[in-house]
Amino acid sequence: MLQQLGKGVVITGSGAATPTVSLTNQDLSQIVDTSDEWIASRTGIRERRLAVPGQSLCDLASMAGERAIAMAGIAPEDIDLIILATSTADDLFGTASQIQAKIGATKAVAFDLTAACSGFVFALVTGAQFIRNGVYRNVLLIGGDILSRWVDWSDRRTCILFGDGAGAVVMQAVESDIADCDRLLGFEIRSDGTLNHYLNLSYKGEAKELVAGVSINQGTFQPITMNGQEVYRFAVKRVPEVIEKALYRANLTVDQVDWLILHQANQRILDAVAQRLKIPPEKVISNLANYGNTSAASIAIALDEAVRAGKIKPGDIIATAGFGAGLTWGAAIFQWGK
């Protein structure tokens, strides 16, 4: 439930960054047995952006973060906390602190959060708690992934889906004596580890004997594997449920939603969720045709594009939901702007 006293949360800036290099469906047909028609009809994807050699997650995430900070009208030195939602960190120990240094957020503490394609929603909820508790005033939330690092480019079931990118928002505290000043209106987040095997980027190693009687396991992470049919079934059932739960917590109805921004995984999933919720197509934000599935970045990239295009305006109510590996899923209802 929302706090009735204390500090409210407002979302005041957004930003995004994607690589300039594009891999089209036609390009993919030269790598695996597929076609533009086959991919587009099943996923809605036409192209995806790929990070070039030497381009890091820190680079993309920092650019997105700087753009969000600029829109919010504050300086990097004003940021108290940076949360990076990612599954593809440049450094397994974490990348958020590198971003903190790169953008000059000298006063900020920074950490990574991993919840795969649900990462943006999970991080949004996490950042809001620091603000509501009065600990921090300005939080930079970044969702970013370079999934091309971990795609098996010979597997047409997965290589057609994923792209690289980063998106960000700035969340700020607003003094409030009533809950009406809080723009994060409701949320619900879930996990079910019994379904983990449907979508994996797993570690695989081999035993290595160090000395007699002492062995360890060394290896690396393996390319993404996915049971697409099961993930689809999971998403079209669970995502509408969690959005309805978040709306209930926000004391809102579906009719009051101005925009639906789902994790950009598959156009069929977006359409099915909207139909189940009875949300008309003109209220559904979709840009996956141009970027593919950018995991934790996808919601923030779609949000930023819609804001900068003038579609989303201050006061608009947005229902957003992420879903993916874990399996994890979650929804948040928020009002854009102060």
Side-chain angles (χ1 to χ4, degrees), residues 247 250-259 283 315-318 333:
L247 284 168
N251 195 28
L252 295 171
T253 65
V254 171
D255 292 341
Q256 293 173 283
V257 171
D258 294 302
W259 302 102
K283 288 187 175 184
D316 283 357
I317 293 175
I318 299 166
I333 314 300

Side-chain angles (χ1 to χ4, degrees), residues 80-327:
D80 302 305
L81 170 66
I82 299 171
I83 303 176
L84 172 65
T86 187
S87 301
T88 57
D90 295 329
D91 183 333
L92 201 56
F93 289 148
T95 297
S97 57
Q98 296 176 37
I99 297 167
Q100 180 255 352
K102 190 174 180 69
I103 69 175
T106 54
K107 298 177 183 177
V109 64
F111 63 84
D112 290 17
L113 179 154
T114 300
C117 301
S118 305
F120 179 81
V121 173
F122 277 48
L124 187 73
V125 171
T126 301
Q129 308 318 307
F130 283 100
I131 293 175
R132 287 174 173 168
N133 291 335
V135 178
Y136 298 126
R137 295 193 60 84
N138 300 307
V139 176
L140 175 62
L141 163 59
I142 306 171
D145 274 300
I146 298 182
L147 288 168
S148 59
R149 294 170 171 171
W150 299 107
V151 167
D152 178 354
W153 290 99
S154 67
D155 178 8
R156 76 168 187 168
R157 296 169 300 177
T158 56
C159 76
I160 64 172
L161 300 174
F162 298 106
D164 304 333
V169 297
V170 169
M171 307 171 66
Q172 295 185 271
V174 59
E175 301 297 336
S176 64
D177 294 325
I178 54 174
D180 288 345
C181 292
D182 198 326
R183 299 295 184 250
L184 180 59
L185 306 175
F187 66 84
E188 183 79 8
I189 53 178
R190 299 283 184 88
S191 301
D192 186 351
T194 65
L195 305 179
N196 175 265
H197 56 286
Y198 288 148
L199 181 54
N200 278 296
L201 202 173
S202 58
Y203 170 88
K204 183 178 180 180
E206 296 180 354
K208 177 182 177 181
E209 187 175 62
L210 298 179
V211 296
V214 178
S215 294
I216 59 166
N217 186 290
Q218 285 193 325
T220 188
F221 292 95
Q222 302 302 299
I224 297 168
T225 61
M226 182 175 68
N227 185 324
Q229 289 184 338
E230 291 299 333
V231 171
Y232 175 87
R233 292 190 186 102
F234 153 78
V236 297
K237 179 181 180 181
R238 297 301 184 189
V239 172
E241 292 175 355
V242 80
I243 290 173
E244 288 176 334
K245 188 71 172 181
L247 284 168
Y248 173 79
R249 292 184 182 278
N251 195 28
L252 295 171
T253 65
V254 171
D255 292 341
Q256 293 173 283
V257 171
D258 294 302
W259 302 102
L260 176 65
I261 307 180
L262 300 179
H263 165 50
Q264 305 287 296
N266 185 306
Q267 189 63 45
R268 287 180 170 180
I269 294 176
L270 272 62
D271 294 342
V273 171
Q275 288 169 8
R276 292 198 179 197
L277 291 170
K278 295 182 171 58
I279 293 177
E282 58 268 22
K283 288 187 175 184
V284 180
I285 302 293
S286 174
N287 68 353
L288 64 84
N290 299 323
Y291 302 106
N293 179 344
T294 56
S295 191
S298 75
I299 293 172
I301 292 173
L303 171 68
D304 182 62
E305 281 198 343
V307 168
R308 293 180 187 271
K311 294 179 69 173
I312 293 177
K313 297 177 172 59
D316 283 357
I317 293 175
I318 299 166
T320 187
F323 51 91
L327 292 179

